[in-house]
Amino acid sequence: MSPSTRSLAAVARDSRGSVKALSGLLDDLATVVASLDTEAYTARPVLRASGSIGEHVRHCLDHVASLLTAQPSMPLTYDHRERGTAVERDPAEALRRIMRLKAALERWPTGSLEEPILVRARTSNSFDEEPMFSSRGREVAFVVSHTIHHQALISVLLELLDQAAPDRFGYAPSTPNRA
């Protein structure tokens, strides 16, 4: 095995950690969702500044679903999402969706992380979606980061609703532990 082949294998092995991290974030979302009644899940304590917890959960799950259904023959896009779904309104539906996505994530083949994919993203209001090349592994890292960001927003909403968030919920792994 050449040095470059060994290093690619090591990257594939290491990249599997990001898939496990994403699965763990889905577990954290499930913990929060399971702790809320429908009223808290759909409350909008900060009008116009943020959505409900349910809307943030749906948004995160849409990104995970887009990633998992991406195919080499068609571009991956995160910009086409359906709003106002049952996942936003019903914690039980959100939990079912989380479990389906976790199961799909567990079936994802390790080798697919190095696979190059085309991503289409709208980066400006004045432009259509732009094509760019990426890899499945890089997109997993993006979805992990994006999910953590929305978990941080959910954590603020939980605080406004006098609800507790799990420890380190919404904190990036690189963020130092709170004192």
Side-chain angles (χ1 to χ4, degrees):
M1 188 181 291
S2 73
S4 62
T5 306
R6 271 196 302 270
S7 62
L8 285 177
V11 168
R13 208 172 30 257
D14 292 344
S15 296
R16 202 63 196 166
S18 60
V19 173
K20 287 182 183 178
L22 184 55
S23 181
L25 293 173
L26 290 174
D27 288 337
D28 292 343
L29 278 174
T31 298
V32 167
V33 171
S35 74
L36 299 172
D37 61 23
T38 303
E39 184 179 342
Y41 186 72
T42 58
R44 296 181 67 112
V46 183
L47 296 178
R48 302 181 100 162
S50 183
S52 67
I53 291 170
E55 289 168 323
H56 285 285
V57 169
R58 188 263 318 144
H59 181 76
C60 292
L61 300 182
D62 285 352
H63 275 63
V64 175
S66 292
L67 174 68
L68 289 172
T69 58
Q71 298 295 319
S73 59
M74 48 192 256
L76 166 61
T77 180
Y78 301 106
D79 295 331
H80 301 268
R81 297 182 302 273
E82 188 177 341
R83 291 167 174 83
T85 66
V87 168
E88 290 181 11
R89 298 183 309 273
D90 181 4
E93 184 61 32
L95 288 170
R96 286 189 288 274
R97 178 75 188 251
I98 289 168
M99 293 306 117
R100 285 193 304 272
L101 290 171
K102 276 189 58 74
L105 196 57
E106 288 169 10
R107 291 189 305 269
W108 225 30
T110 304
S112 69
L113 294 176
E114 309 83 43
E115 183 178 310
I117 57 172
L118 180 64
V119 178
R120 295 188 66 82
R122 189 168 179 186
T123 57
S124 168
N125 286 334
S126 58
F127 298 108
D128 289 331
E129 290 180 332
E130 297 179 60
M132 54 199 82
F133 286 101
S134 187
S135 69
R136 285 185 186 263
R138 174 63 190 100
E139 293 308 308
V140 171
F142 164 72
V143 173
V144 164
S145 178
H146 185 263
T147 302
I148 291 169
H149 165 75
H150 280 275
Q151 286 181 340
L153 295 170
I154 291 168
S155 186
V156 170
L157 293 172
L158 288 169
E159 188 175 325
L160 292 170
L161 295 168
D162 292 322
Q163 302 276 339
D167 188 46
R168 298 209 37 91
F169 185 79
Y171 284 82
S174 61
T175 302
N177 285 335
R178 297 182 260 178

